[in-house]
Amino acid sequence: MCGITGFIGDTDALSKIVRGLYRLEYRGYDSAGVALLEGDPADLAVYKSAGRVGDLEVPTVSDATCGIGHTRWSTHGKPTDENAHPHTDCTEHFAVVHNGVIANYDELRGDLETHEFTSQTDTEVVPHLLEEEYSETSDLRAAVESVTDRLEGSYALGVIAEESDRIVCARHNSPLVVGHGEDGNYIASDVTAFLDQTRDASYLLDGDVAVVSDDDVTVYADGEPVDRPIQHIEWDAQAAEKDGYQHFMRKEIHEQPWALRQVLASHVDTVDRTVDLDIDLDDDYLRNVDEIQLVACGTSYHASLYAKYLFQTLANVRTSVEVASEYEFEGGRDPTRTLVAGVTQSGETADTLDAVRRSAANGATTLGVTNSLGSTITRVVDDSIFIRAGPEIGVAATKTFSSQIATLVLLCLHVADVRGELDSADGRRLLENLRNLPSAIQQALDNESRIQAVADRYLDEDAFFYIGRRMGNPVSLEGALKLKEISYDHAEGFPAGELKHGPLALITEETPVIALLTDGSRPDDTITNVKEVQARGAPVIGLASEGTGNGTLEERIEVPSLGRLEPLVANVYLQLFAYHLADQKGRPIDKPRNLAKSVTVR
Ligand code: M6R
């Protein structure tokens, strides 16, 4: 959830670390800090404070060529100067940055009663333990290994120490990557931190400890050197910048046609229109699967709900969708015939990883569907599908929602084909719709001014209801999630038929209702619910297929014709609606309060 960066080399470390911190702010932004080895002999200097990276006061120049930095998303202790990382020991000899949660920190603090603690964080036990262990060996790597042996929970750690011209880092259930540069080496929780300096990266695995110096990187597992191959990252730092848009979110909404073309180009043969997902799950296994379980959180959960309808109708396979934090591998099913897919943009969501691990422990085959190559989920599952939407920086997931659905549609077509369930006309139609999705979304994007005008008209309302049926239901849930997370307005999504069973009591002239009236969302039934809310005075904004809802809606926005993928096009209007409403309200759209992009705690 937090961001770690570090540099050791033959040039100025401070500017490189601070630049990395700005890039990592999407991972956490309630405090920031830097620790540097300054002067000769080196002295440890720590600069840290609550607030954003821009609030951090650091020297304008520094001779340090080695240091570590951190942006924090609080888990233990409030966002204060004292709780900001890096943390140090009593002698201020060691500085530590940490992502994750040290579950046994209370117990460890008990063992350190002679030490004076200055923060409420779980992290601070680490430098104090290092102080003890280092006095035994005077070897920083050995000290880090002894300390990590005592930690329970999850961690990515970056450590520096006076008299030691290296960074030592370690990972367990929290991502950490080493960047190999020309003028030195980097550590980071995410390659975004150093992509403007180098695209060569090696990912650490759980249990690894790496010793990083200006001209060498050595990774150890169980005390022995191991090889962690260097991967060349294809996308560049530019892709992670705003490209002239005011916010990443709007840029990423507009990137959807491109992202979807990437998905299709990677997985669909242009000549014979066959699907190749580059997975190893063998056909016999898929043929005999009794059930597919999709586990996910937030937007990824909504994408999974959308896909469920297609798996059930097209591939004729029982499919369930579970909120990952609620998941249990229930009895009554044969684990060897149950495929559990963790759907996660970041590949780092703790709840999803935990659900997948539990299903694997019960004997199920596991699959990861993720946007992050090299992320933790890809190491936890039996097989993975990479959705290739490019980096998503805005906290609100947008292009990854549509790319996840497109990827799951391809998986559904593959499963249906293998199982001999694919009605060829039906399959061809869906694949054709998928191929037309980028241009249909482009049409919606070209009509942005229309939805912006609607957002302006309803700016003063503070509660919005979203309704839809079938595939319109996950889109109504997603539309409401988007609006609440970035505008802070109250927004709820309901299956349209459920309104009359309770939520209708909340409907007044001041609660606009947004209705999904597209193909794939049973518009004829939902029109009845539209009438119910209109009878209570609520204005209705309808996202409607051609010929639907004419003359009955306060605002009618037509969705290009695209069969079962129409709700997905309608969703683009809902993303833009949320964006413009939040923008008019002056909200910090890319970094909404209390939220972080990657939720690596349970
Ligand atoms: O990285 P993941 O897809 O696993 O993330 C799951 C949710 O945390 C995420 O979708 C969240 O709901 C977004 N902020 C929604 O915009």
Side-chain angles (χ1 to χ4, degrees):
M1 184 77 49
C2 309
I4 286 179
T5 185
F7 174 77
I8 179 163
D10 50 23
T11 60
D12 163 35
L14 177 61
S15 62
K16 288 187 157 60
I17 293 168
V18 171
R19 208 159 49 223
L21 288 181
Y22 276 111
R23 291 240 161 82
L24 289 175
E25 256 197 320
Y26 72 93
R27 293 181 69 97
Y29 33 78
D30 58 35
S31 53
V34 173
L36 299 169
L37 294 176
E38 288 178 336
D40 189 14
D43 245 348
L44 184 67
V46 176
Y47 309 92
K48 61 180 191 172
S49 61
R52 302 213 165 206
V53 178
D55 303 324
L56 185 64
E57 288 181 19
V58 290
T60 40
V61 283
S62 161
D63 66 0
T65 56
C66 173
I68 50 178
H70 191 266
T71 56
R72 177 167 184 254
W73 187 84
S74 325
T75 56
H76 290 71
K78 290 191 174 146
T80 61
D81 292 353
E82 295 72 32
N83 289 337
H85 297 213
H87 289 285
T88 57
D89 61 310
C90 303
T91 62
E92 304 211 333
H93 193 86
F94 305 96
V96 173
V97 287
H98 165 227
N99 285 356
V101 174
I102 295 169
N104 60 335
Y105 80 103
D106 243 349
E107 185 191 318
L108 293 169
R109 268 196 185 211
D111 298 343
L112 292 162
E113 51 192 18
T114 56
H115 290 244
E116 196 185 325
F117 281 78
T118 55
S119 78
Q120 288 86 49
T121 63
D122 52 337
T123 305
E124 202 189 338
V125 294
V126 177
H128 291 282
L129 287 170
L130 279 172
E131 185 184 341
E132 303 249 312
E133 298 291 345
Y134 190 78
S135 63
E136 306 277 311
T137 61
S138 299
D139 174 341
L140 189 58
R141 173 170 70 92
V144 169
E145 283 170 345
S146 304
V147 170
T148 52
D149 280 350
R150 297 179 64 183
L151 303 182
E152 288 169 19
S154 59
Y155 54 80
L157 292 170
V159 177
I160 56 171
E162 283 181 0
E163 303 144 23
S164 179
D165 54 351
R166 60 204 56 207
I167 301 173
V168 177
C169 53
R171 88 156 258 175
H172 177 69
N173 283 340
S174 194
L176 200 57
V177 59
V178 177
H180 304 256
E182 296 261 305
D183 52 3
N185 295 314
Y186 299 78
I187 66 158
S189 40
D190 183 324
V191 288
T192 322
F194 54 67
L195 263 191
D196 61 335
Q197 303 293 319
T198 177
R199 295 182 194 181
D200 291 333
S202 42
Y203 290 87
L204 301 193
L205 301 184
D206 280 346
D208 285 355
V209 172
V211 179
V212 182
S213 66
D214 54 352
D215 60 358
D216 185 61
V217 176
T218 309
V219 184
Y220 298 84
D222 297 322
E224 297 298 323
V226 285
D227 183 33
R228 298 289 174 243
I230 296 179
Q231 300 183 22
H232 189 71
I233 307 297
E234 294 298 340
W235 46 273
D236 58 23
Q238 281 294 313
E241 287 172 1
K242 284 188 211 150
D243 243 1
Y245 288 96
Q246 198 193 342
H247 297 102
F248 279 114
M249 182 184 176
R250 183 149 174 257
K251 170 179 176 259
E252 287 158 4
I253 292 171
H254 279 263
E255 278 174 352
Q256 288 178 98
W258 168 84
L260 289 161
R261 286 191 183 104
Q262 290 271 116
V263 174
L264 292 168
S266 317
H267 300 308
V268 181
D269 186 297
T270 44
V271 180
D272 62 11
R273 307 273 161 91
T274 48
V275 174
D276 179 3
L277 287 166
D278 195 19
I279 46 175
D280 296 328
L281 287 178
D282 77 64
D283 290 358
D284 263 351
Y285 170 78
L286 288 174
R287 221 167 271 129
N288 293 313
V289 150
D290 287 338
E291 182 181 355
I292 297 178
Q293 297 188 324
L294 304 171
V295 293
C297 306
T299 291
S300 298
Y301 171 72
H302 300 151
S304 305
L305 283 176
Y306 196 115
K308 169 186 161 165
Y309 293 104
L310 298 170
F311 275 101
Q312 295 203 144
T313 54
L314 244 94
N316 195 21
V317 55
R318 189 166 72 237
T319 307
S320 56
V321 183
E322 302 270 351
V323 168
S325 55
E326 289 292 314
Y327 179 78
E328 288 294 340
F329 191 87
E330 309 282 3
R333 47 175 60 89
D334 176 356
T336 64
R337 293 162 74 119
T338 307
L339 174 64
V340 178
V343 181
T344 164
Q345 183 284 128
S346 60
E348 302 293 348
T349 299
D351 289 325
T352 307
L353 292 173
D354 190 55
V356 168
R357 283 187 180 114
R358 267 184 288 139
S359 64
N362 276 282
T365 299
T366 56
L367 178 71
V369 180
T370 183
N371 192 35
S372 309
L373 192 64
S375 62
T376 303
I377 195 150
T378 61
R379 303 199 187 101
V380 166
V381 289
D382 297 309
D383 207 348
S384 341
I385 305 178
F386 181 41
I387 68 168
R388 294 172 204 276
E392 188 176 71
I393 306 296
V395 164
T398 52
K399 63 176 177 173
T400 54
F401 176 73
S402 45
S403 297
Q404 277 171 335
I405 293 176
T407 307
L408 290 168
V409 168
L410 293 174
L411 177 63
C412 170
L413 288 168
H414 175 65
V415 172
D417 191 24
V418 166
R419 292 166 74 93
E421 293 286 351
L422 193 61
D423 174 307
S424 54
D426 224 14
R428 259 202 316 276
R429 205 172 309 121
L430 185 59
L431 193 53
E432 209 41 42
N433 287 336
L434 199 55
R435 295 183 74 245
N436 290 329
L437 181 62
S439 51
I441 287 185
Q442 190 58 58
Q443 277 183 55
L445 292 170
D446 293 344
N447 201 17
E448 182 170 3
S449 56
R450 168 82 177 100
I451 191 75
Q452 181 172 4
V454 176
D456 288 351
R457 262 196 292 287
Y458 293 94
L459 194 59
D460 294 333
E461 309 300 359
D462 341 284
F464 294 81
F465 294 92
Y466 291 68
I467 57 171
R469 289 167 189 258
R470 301 293 289 171
M471 284 169 283
N473 178 39
V475 168
S476 68
L477 298 175
E478 175 60 9
L481 176 66
K482 224 72 319 169
L483 187 67
K484 74 181 90 165
E485 71 180 328
I486 62 165
S487 76
Y488 312 154
D489 282 333
H490 182 214
E492 296 298 336
F494 297 104
E498 275 296 291
L499 264 187
K500 57 186 175 297
H501 298 290
L504 201 54
L506 299 172
I507 299 296
T508 68
E509 301 92 48
E510 281 156 18
T511 56
V513 174
I514 295 157
L516 272 294
L517 299 165
T518 61
D519 267 16
S521 61
R522 287 205 197 131
D524 296 345
D525 293 337
T526 304
I527 282 286
T528 312
N529 310 113
V530 164
K531 300 249 166 71
E532 284 163 8
V533 298
Q534 284 175 324
R536 275 92 188 160
V540 176
I541 302 162
L543 298 158
S545 304
E546 191 183 341
T548 306
N550 289 314
T552 53
L553 304 163
E554 279 65 29
E555 310 279 353
R556 181 178 178 283
I557 296 170
E558 192 158 305
V559 178
S561 172
L562 208 62
R564 282 185 271 204
L565 298 184
E566 272 180 36
L568 191 46
V569 183
N571 184 60
V572 173
Y573 282 117
L574 300 186
Q575 293 171 340
L576 290 169
F577 179 73
Y579 173 82
H580 286 293
L581 211 126
D583 190 35
Q584 282 295 316
K585 291 184 177 223
R587 302 295 191 221
I589 290 181
D590 286 332
K591 292 171 183 168
R593 71 182 177 208
N594 305 340
L595 301 178
K597 183 68 182 163
S598 181
V599 187
T600 54
V601 289
R602 291 180 58 213

